[in-house]
Amino acid sequence: MTPTATAGQDPRTRRSTRAAIVLGVVCGLVAAWLLLVPMRGALDDERAFRAAVACGADGARDGDCLWTVTARIERVEVDRGRRSHSYWLYLREADGTSSRTRLNDSPPAGAGQRVEVTYWRDRIRYVDFPTERRPTTADPRDDHRVYTAWALGIGLYGLGILAVVTWWSRRPRTTPRAHSWQLGWPLLGAFALAGLGVVAALSTDGPGEAFLTVAAGLPVITALSWAGVRLAARRERGDDTVDVIPSVPDRERVVLGEILGEVPYARGGGHLVAGPGLLASTPDPTGGFRRREAPPTLTPLRVRPPYHTDPALPEYGGRALVLECDDNGTQVLIVTHRKDMPWILGALDHTAARP
C-alpha cells in the first residue's frame, strides 16, 4: 500500500521544480545587475574620490576636486533607526551657508564647536573635528561592499538552488519522503554558500578577493553537503514506520487533521474528533456539528512521514504524520500533528473494539 513514484511522475514535484528554476534564474539576473550597474558605479566613485586633489587657489569648484570650509556645529540630532542610530550635524559655514551632514557614530564634539568640512561633488564627505577626522555617510569609499554582498548572497543562493534542482531531478529518489534531508543538506549548503559570499564581500578589500574567498570555500561546502546527503540516505533507507504508542482518549478531543480516501467520511474540514469509541472528521473547531464518523471497519496499519506522492496534505509546520489505514480494501490516510497521533490511534483501537 506504500505509494512510490519518481520526481518526474509527481505533478506537485514538477511544479516545485519549475518554481525553483524560476527563482534561481531571477536571483542570477538580479545579482548580475547589482554587479554590473550599482557596484561598478560605486567602484568608479571610490577611485575618483581617492584620486581627487584639493581645488585650486582661485576658488573654482568645478570637476572632482576637494574643497574644505570652516563651519560651526549648531546642533546634533539623533536619527534613531530600528537597529542602529545615526547623527545629523547641522552646520553654519563661515559664509553663513547652512548645511547638514550625517555620521554613523556619535560625533566627538557638540553644539558651538568649530570644525572643517570637506566637499566633493557638492556633498560633505568627511568632517575634521579638533581631535579626529570622521567620514560621513556620503563617503563613497567601500560603498561597493554592500552591493557586492547583495550580489554574492543572492547570486550564490540562486546558483545553489539551480544546482540542487538539477541534481535532484537527474537522480532517482531513494526515499519517498516529502521532507527528506537528502534534499535538505544541499539546500543548507546553498544557504551556507550565500552566507559565505556575504561575509567575504563585507570583510575583504574588493570584489576580486571576495570571489577568491568564495572559490576557496566552495569545495568545502560541497563536500560537507555531499557527506550530509550520504548520511541522510543511509538513515532513511528501509522501513520508515514511526513508532507511536496509542493513547485512548478519556474524553472527546478536537485536533487538527484530515481523512483522505474514497470514503464518505473523508475531507471533513480540517479537524478530527477523537474520543472513546469515536473518530470523526468535522469542519467545526469545537467538534460540535457536521461530524462524519469513521466506521469500525477502519483498520490502522502503520504511521509514517508524509510522502511526496500523497495527496495535498497539511504540514503543520513540518510536524505532520500520516496514518495508513484500510477500510474493506480501500486505502485511507489520516494526517495530523505528531503530538496528536497517539489520540487518533487510541480512538481507532477503541472504535474497532465497538460491538
Side-chain angles (χ1 to χ4, degrees):
M1 294 181 63
T2 301
T4 57
T6 63
Q9 296 171 332
D10 181 11
R12 286 183 297 151
T13 301
R14 289 198 298 269
R15 288 194 297 269
S16 299
T17 300
R18 286 194 292 267
I21 292 174
V22 171
L23 175 62
V25 171
V26 170
C27 287
L29 292 175
V30 172
W33 178 82
L34 286 170
L35 291 174
L36 294 175
V37 181
M39 191 207 72
R40 176 175 290 183
L43 284 173
D44 291 342
D45 287 346
E46 177 177 342
R47 283 191 289 265
F49 180 69
R50 291 183 182 277
V53 296
C55 296
D58 57 359
R61 298 177 178 180
D62 298 332
D64 283 349
C65 65
L66 305 172
W67 71 91
T68 302
V69 297
T70 302
R72 181 174 55 86
I73 301 175
E74 292 192 319
R75 69 182 189 276
V76 178
E77 290 186 359
V78 181
D79 186 3
R80 302 185 184 277
R82 292 183 177 180
R83 298 184 179 179
S84 61
H85 300 338
S86 58
Y87 299 83
W88 284 104
L89 294 184
Y90 288 83
L91 306 167
R92 177 73 65 177
E93 298 179 9
D95 61 359
T97 302
S98 295
S99 60
R100 71 171 187 170
T101 190
R102 187 165 61 175
L103 305 177
N104 284 322
D105 300 318
S106 177
Q113 179 67 57
R114 290 194 175 277
V115 296
E116 290 185 341
V117 296
T118 298
Y119 282 85
W120 182 69
R121 293 182 180 176
D122 297 321
R123 298 183 66 185
I124 298 174
R125 306 297 175 158
Y126 53 84
V127 181
D128 286 303
F129 294 95
T131 57
E132 61 181 301
R133 171 175 289 182
R134 289 282 187 89
T136 70
T137 56
D139 190 326
R141 291 171 292 187
D142 295 332
D143 281 353
H144 61 85
R145 290 185 176 182
V146 176
Y147 299 116
T148 306
W150 277 105
L152 286 180
I154 295 174
L156 290 173
Y157 175 72
L159 178 64
I161 292 296
L162 288 175
V164 171
V165 169
T166 301
W167 165 76
W168 189 249
S169 63
R170 291 179 178 273
R171 65 185 297 273
R173 292 195 181 211
T174 58
T175 174
R177 295 188 184 188
H179 307 289
S180 170
W181 273 105
Q182 293 182 54
L183 181 61
W185 277 107
L187 291 177
L188 189 62
F191 276 110
L193 187 63
L196 175 62
V198 172
V199 172
L202 296 177
S203 59
T204 56
D205 292 332
E209 292 185 17
F211 279 104
L212 288 176
T213 302
V214 171
L218 179 60
V220 178
I221 293 176
T222 302
L224 291 175
S225 299
W226 180 247
V229 170
R230 299 294 296 177
L231 177 62
R234 188 160 53 247
R235 295 187 62 179
E236 294 177 0
R237 187 178 297 117
D239 186 19
D240 57 2
T241 299
V242 179
D243 292 328
V244 178
I245 300 175
S247 179
V248 179
D250 56 352
R251 56 181 174 82
E252 289 189 359
R253 297 176 180 271
V254 182
V255 300
L256 294 174
E258 280 285 4
I259 300 176
L260 302 101
E262 299 298 325
V263 289
Y265 48 89
R267 293 291 184 183
H271 294 84
L272 299 174
V273 181
L278 170 69
L279 178 67
S281 59
T282 175
D284 181 15
T286 67
F289 69 95
R290 292 181 60 185
R291 295 187 179 188
R292 298 180 180 180
E293 291 192 21
T297 54
L298 183 63
T299 305
L301 300 178
R302 73 180 186 118
V303 180
R304 60 166 173 80
Y307 288 166
H308 63 84
T309 51
D310 288 334
L313 300 176
E315 297 186 359
Y316 306 123
R319 305 292 292 175
L321 285 178
V322 177
L323 173 61
E324 292 182 354
C325 302
D326 177 76
D327 189 353
N328 289 329
T330 300
Q331 185 186 57
V332 178
L333 302 180
I334 302 176
V335 58
T336 189
H337 195 285
R338 179 183 296 270
K339 64 181 178 63
D340 297 321
M341 186 58 77
W343 302 116
I344 304 302
L345 285 171
L348 280 177
D349 287 345
H350 208 64
T351 299
R354 289 186 304 186

